[in-house]
Amino acid sequence: MKQKLLSATILLSVCLASCKEAVLSQQQIDYSVQTVAETDVTLTESYSASIRGRQDIEIYPQVSGTIQCVCVKEGEKVRRGQQLFVIDRVPYESALRTAVANVHAAEAQVETARITYESKQELFRQNVISEFDLSTTRNALAVAKASLEQARAEETNARNSLSYTEVKSPADGVVGTIPYRVGALVGPTSAQPLTTVADNSEMYVYFSMSENRLQELVMRYGSLDRTIENIPAVRLRMNNGTLYAEEGRIESISGVLNAETGSGSLRAVFPNPNRMLFSGGTGNVVIPQLLKNAIAIPQEATYELQDKIFVYRIIDGKAVATRIEVSPIHDGVNYTVTKGLAAGDVIVTTGIGLLNDGDEIKINDNAGGNV
């Protein structure tokens, strides 16, 4: 019995000693604080994006034949109207000569029919032939004229076909892959285009934004058109993690949401003077957001409880747990407070994990500071 009492006494002594040490430790802790003040805060939000050239034009031949000459190289910059390929011209030159000959023959037939008709008119005035004979020659002249128009149309088609043997660039841009070489048989129904001309002087960057975020933007600026006009310039973080040097602008916002994802499509345009961006690439659009007279606090000064965010305000020397609301957009270091704090409030910034609501604390004046 005495041994049991002795053990209980020792255990109680250890507990009292531990509690005394904890109290002493609590009293020895210094806390850093921050006086909240209003300031201008720039937040950024990032969206995955795909990059496309202003124009990616697939070049197909408009006539069939074998390639006689490849006039450009892959990756070469070309101008509108510059010759890219030459297709065998011989059959089309022959077809043009035939068409021209047919036009000459039709012109001769028209002239013959006109002379016949004019002579028939004179004979009709002299009552030598009937009106039927005159009408027949008039109709023959009309048929000859129609044949001439048909021959001229065939000549135009033949000239166009001949001109199509010289495949030219429809726009300024850069030549893509060339799957065909000299001697290859190509045509309008070829499985692959002769090449692709990408106009990448400016690049289109496409990304999506949630319906709620789009509505927030439109409500802030007043309308969809004003949103496009007034939204700040955007940046592009390339796939390798570097920030693209040129700023871009949002050029269009789709008025139709994707029913499956509930998001809307946006298009930003970026200048590409040094051809740093490639059509088909990916990256992230970074959109800045300036908040005036906002309150920013360190994230380390907060704690979460049941998905709610709290800070400790200092009121009469005691730590008072205070719930706050913050902007969903942040940089991972600071929160922008939208509700729960006001300028002049003092909050604890370090050691909050050791605090309880209502604890009296000693402030470390050297560690504190103002926003």
Side-chain angles (χ1 to χ4, degrees):
M1 185 67 178
K2 291 182 178 181
Q3 187 175 1
K4 290 183 178 180
L5 289 173
L6 180 60
S7 299
T9 303
I10 293 172
L11 180 60
L12 179 60
S13 299
V14 172
C15 291
L16 290 173
S18 298
C19 291
K20 184 177 181 181
E21 289 177 1
V23 171
L24 290 174
S25 176
Q26 174 70 24
Q27 291 175 348
Q28 292 171 356
I29 296 176
D30 290 339
Y31 295 94
S32 298
V33 299
Q34 175 175 304
T35 301
V36 174
E38 293 181 343
T39 185
D40 293 345
V41 177
T42 299
L43 303 177
T44 60
E45 46 190 318
S46 181
Y47 298 91
S48 298
S50 60
I51 304 171
R52 296 287 182 271
R54 179 175 282 275
Q55 292 187 93
D56 291 337
I57 307 172
E58 293 184 337
I59 309 298
Y60 283 92
Q62 293 179 268
V63 293
S64 299
T66 57
I67 296 178
Q68 298 296 300
C69 179
V70 178
C71 307
V72 292
K73 298 178 181 179
E74 295 177 352
E76 181 179 342
K77 293 180 69 175
V78 294
R79 307 292 296 177
R80 181 177 181 179
Q82 182 175 336
Q83 188 167 281
L84 306 177
F85 301 89
V86 176
I87 296 174
D88 185 13
R89 297 169 58 90
V90 172
Y92 298 100
E93 290 174 340
S94 177
L96 177 58
R97 286 194 294 269
T98 299
V100 171
N102 290 339
V103 169
H104 293 329
E107 288 174 341
Q109 291 174 357
V110 168
E111 190 61 27
T112 300
R114 180 180 291 108
I115 293 172
T116 302
Y117 176 60
E118 290 174 352
S119 64
K120 291 290 185 178
Q121 283 181 313
E122 183 62 28
L123 293 174
F124 178 73
R125 284 194 292 268
Q126 298 175 6
N127 294 322
V128 175
I129 61 173
S130 65
E131 185 175 354
F132 174 80
D133 291 334
L134 180 63
S135 297
T136 300
T137 56
R138 183 169 57 247
N139 292 341
L141 176 59
V143 170
K145 288 181 178 179
S147 298
L148 175 60
E149 292 302 318
Q150 183 177 3
R152 285 173 175 168
E154 291 174 354
E155 179 189 2
T156 299
N157 288 336
R159 289 188 185 278
N160 287 338
S161 295
L162 179 60
S163 69
Y164 294 151
T165 60
E166 296 181 354
V167 181
K168 299 180 180 180
S169 176
D172 297 346
V174 178
V175 176
T177 302
I178 302 176
Y180 299 101
R181 294 295 180 263
V182 173
L185 179 63
V186 295
T189 59
S190 295
Q192 291 180 290
L194 296 176
T195 189
T196 300
V197 174
D199 178 5
N200 59 4
S201 58
E202 289 186 327
M203 304 300 287
Y204 286 151
V205 179
Y206 295 89
F207 62 101
S208 296
M209 188 178 288
S210 69
E211 178 182 0
N212 289 343
R213 186 70 184 111
L214 280 174
Q215 288 177 340
E216 288 176 8
L217 287 175
V218 173
M219 290 177 65
R220 180 188 305 166
Y221 293 108
S223 69
L224 197 61
D225 291 336
R226 294 191 65 184
T227 299
I228 295 173
E229 292 175 3
N230 298 304
I231 196 167
V234 297
R235 303 297 299 273
L236 177 65
R237 191 172 301 281
M238 296 187 291
N239 199 41
N240 63 3
T242 60
L243 197 63
Y244 183 55
E246 303 285 344
E247 290 186 337
R249 67 184 188 280
I250 293 180
E251 195 175 61
S252 68
I253 301 175
S254 173
V256 180
L257 298 178
N258 186 311
E260 296 180 359
T261 63
S263 60
S265 177
L266 295 86
R267 184 182 74 195
V269 61
F270 286 81
N272 192 29
N274 298 318
R275 297 169 59 188
M276 292 286 293
L277 302 179
F278 300 96
S279 185
T282 58
N284 289 276
V285 170
V286 180
I287 304 178
Q289 177 182 347
L290 176 62
L291 301 178
K292 291 187 174 293
N293 302 322
I295 294 175
I297 63 172
Q299 289 188 12
E300 65 178 358
T302 67
Y303 68 95
E304 290 191 22
L305 182 62
Q306 297 180 346
D307 296 328
K308 297 178 176 60
I309 300 176
F310 292 83
V311 296
Y312 282 111
R313 285 192 302 156
I314 307 300
I315 301 177
D316 298 330
K318 294 184 179 181
V320 178
T322 303
R323 181 185 171 187
I324 62 172
E325 295 181 9
V326 300
S327 170
I329 304 170
H330 57 80
D331 58 6
V333 177
N334 297 304
Y335 279 138
T336 302
V337 179
T338 59
K339 188 177 181 180
L341 290 178
D345 287 343
V346 179
I347 62 172
V348 180
T349 57
T350 60
I352 62 172
L354 302 174
L355 279 175
N356 294 310
D357 190 22
D359 283 350
E360 293 185 1
I361 65 171
K362 177 183 178 182
I363 297 174
N364 179 0
D365 295 328
N366 295 328
N370 293 334
V371 177

